[in-house]
Amino acid sequence: MTDQTWVAPPDDAEVVAGLGRSFADLFGGKPDGVWAAPGRVNLIGEHTDYNGGWCLPLALAHRTYAAVRHRGDGHLRVASRQMSGLGYDGPVPGVRPRDPGGWVAYLAGVVAILAERAGPDRCGVDVLVDGRVPLGAGLSSSAALSCSVAVALRDVVPGLADLGDAELVDVCVRAENAYAGAATGGMDQTVSVRAVDEHLLLLDARDGTVTPVAWTLPEHEVLVVDTRASHSLADGQYAARRATCEAAAAALGLSSLRELGPGNVQDPEVVARLVGVPHGRERVRHVVTENERVLDLVAALRERDARAVGALMTASHLSLRDDYEVSCHELDLAVDAALGAGAVGARMTGGGFGGSAIALVRRDSVDRVAVAVASAFAEAGLTAPHFLSAVPSRPAGRVR
Ligand code: ADP
Ligand code: MG
């Protein structure tokens, strides 16, 4: 039998104590407090957020923690327990898009953008983060990082207390797009900041409204398989899918693909207009049918219909695999092995090309499904996957 590695949710007290020790070593003294923001899995509605569509993420209990101390001199120092040394040590106005680049940009970008509002002198901070969302696993450690820092600055920087949650989300999206150079939509930041404990969050990306959706299937849980196939190399592919959708919307004279209904995909005029957009028809078909699946899944949850929920998840996977072409061998294997071992439904989640898959599993068969997936990976000679339980959890906020 194959061993399985489970990534348990972090223990606040343990993380806070560790951050306190490292903060003292690195910066001297104590932080003003510790804030945390969750990663997420998206139950359904993939590659829809940047098309003004629907998605249904949940905040994980796995979070990124930020120990932050305000300083009055407009100087910024940042470090991460997952990285070595100081990532940045300089004035707030020295932070520019892509400079510093890499992981520091997610964090320093938030500070720079908030400094436009509060003034650079007021935004000086010492920041040390500890990320307990697996990095680069499609579980949104990047938004957990930026959002943990954003909620902290809102609390410690004079003049930011009246920033609303939706504005804070925009700040984090801008940081990721403009400073880190990742062309992501707003789903990750929205659920990290605006999640409701014990609920999924139905997000309408057209206007940013969110509706909490109760988890009505107490006998089932969402099992996350981190395939450990890194998805970071796929940045260009993500941007390419986004560009295709924008080109398709432009060819159709629409502000976004959200304006299309499922019936429109066969419409001869729509088909004709998409001829000039490479892969336009398949990509559009995914977006349009995926939007419909999100709303159908919300209805199925309301009816406590686990079978229907699972079937919609699996249909989403096939659409992402065949029409949107963002799956990969590891994701397909995780999905197939989970379904073969009795999962009610399964799909890739997140941007694709690696990262994580999720499966809707009866609680009494979680171990069986995990064993089956781990065995399939071992037989295929792949790196052993990691497993997490996705328990709908609380939004970003102060921990200590
Ligand atoms: P995901 O958001 O799915 O985890 P991304 O590629 O969007 O994947 O984001 C991962 C990147 O975010 C990492 O490569 C790193 O640059 C940054 N990051 C996330 N968490 C941390 C952390 N705790 N410390 C330093 N960098 C982090
Ligand atoms: Mg990310």
Side-chain angles (χ1 to χ4, degrees):
M1 176 175 315
T2 327
D3 286 337
Q4 303 107 54
T5 304
W6 287 82
V7 184
D11 172 55
D12 282 355
E14 181 255 318
V15 179
V16 169
L19 274 171
R21 285 190 296 273
S22 299
F23 194 96
D25 288 347
L26 202 61
F27 299 133
K30 291 183 180 166
D32 296 336
V34 176
W35 289 258
R40 59 99 189 94
V41 288
N42 187 21
L43 193 66
I44 198 158
E46 216 65 77
H47 287 277
T48 50
D49 60 349
Y50 55 80
N51 287 304
W54 303 92
C55 52
L56 190 65
L58 61 91
L60 294 170
H62 301 73
R63 311 199 281 169
T64 292
Y65 295 73
V68 177
R69 179 171 60 200
H70 186 244
R71 41 191 296 165
D73 59 359
H75 196 88
L76 174 64
R77 293 192 289 185
V78 305
S80 163
R81 294 200 76 190
Q82 282 67 51
M83 307 287 166
S84 61
L86 278 184
Y88 185 77
D89 184 358
V92 171
V95 176
R96 310 211 180 272
R98 318 291 294 262
D99 175 26
W103 71 268
V104 184
Y106 293 95
L107 195 166
V110 168
V111 177
I113 293 166
L114 289 173
E116 292 169 8
R117 186 178 178 118
D121 291 349
R122 285 174 159 186
C123 285
V125 279
D126 292 328
V127 181
L128 173 64
V129 298
D130 189 353
R132 301 304 181 95
V133 182
L135 268 63
L139 303 176
S140 196
S141 69
S142 59
L145 173 61
S146 57
C147 295
S148 68
V149 176
V151 289
L153 263 75
R154 175 166 66 182
D155 283 356
V156 302
V157 171
L160 293 182
D162 62 342
L163 258 181
D165 284 346
E167 287 174 288
L168 213 62
V169 168
D170 288 341
V171 169
C172 296
V173 173
R174 265 184 71 199
E176 187 144 351
N177 289 173
Y179 284 80
T184 59
M187 168 174 69
D188 304 352
Q189 298 82 358
T190 301
V191 65
S192 191
V193 172
R194 301 175 71 189
V196 174
D197 198 8
E198 296 179 12
H199 288 73
L200 305 156
L201 205 65
L202 176 63
L203 166 62
D204 180 348
R206 179 157 65 182
D207 59 9
T209 53
V210 295
T211 312
V213 173
W215 182 251
T216 55
L217 306 174
E219 289 174 5
H220 294 78
E221 73 168 60
V222 177
L223 170 69
V224 182
V225 181
D226 169 6
T227 65
R228 304 185 63 219
S230 166
H231 72 161
S232 60
L233 294 176
D235 288 350
Q237 291 286 348
Y238 188 99
R241 293 299 180 283
R242 201 173 166 154
T244 299
C245 291
E246 280 160 14
L252 296 168
L254 303 171
S255 59
S256 83
L257 295 181
R258 163 70 176 274
E259 316 305 321
L260 282 182
N264 299 129
V265 186
Q266 271 82 270
D267 182 332
E269 200 191 320
V270 169
V271 173
R273 286 190 185 210
L274 290 176
V275 166
V277 181
H279 301 295
R281 193 169 176 205
E282 299 78 44
R283 306 300 191 244
V284 168
R285 185 164 56 204
H286 166 71
V287 173
V288 171
T289 58
E290 185 77 352
N291 276 328
E292 192 183 35
R293 280 186 290 271
V294 176
L295 301 179
D296 288 349
L297 195 149
V298 170
L301 268 179
R302 229 175 265 133
E303 284 158 23
R304 301 172 189 274
D305 186 345
R307 248 174 217 292
V309 170
L312 287 160
M313 289 169 66
T314 305
S316 167
H317 183 75
L318 299 182
S319 176
L320 287 156
R321 186 189 71 185
D322 300 336
D323 273 348
Y324 219 65
E325 296 186 276
V326 290
S327 190
C328 65
H329 175 51
E330 290 87 347
L331 288 169
D332 292 340
L333 186 64
V335 166
D336 291 345
L339 291 173
V344 189
R347 60 180 290 269
M348 55 159 278
T349 186
F353 305 107
S356 295
I358 53 174
L360 181 69
V361 180
R362 280 189 62 92
R363 287 192 192 280
D364 54 17
S365 56
V366 169
D367 286 334
R368 179 156 51 89
V369 171
V371 168
V373 172
S375 305
F377 272 58
E379 269 167 42
L382 296 169
T383 305
H386 287 172
F387 297 93
L388 289 74
S389 281
V391 179
S393 298
R394 59 195 189 283
R398 188 166 188 154
V399 177
R400 223 24 81 80

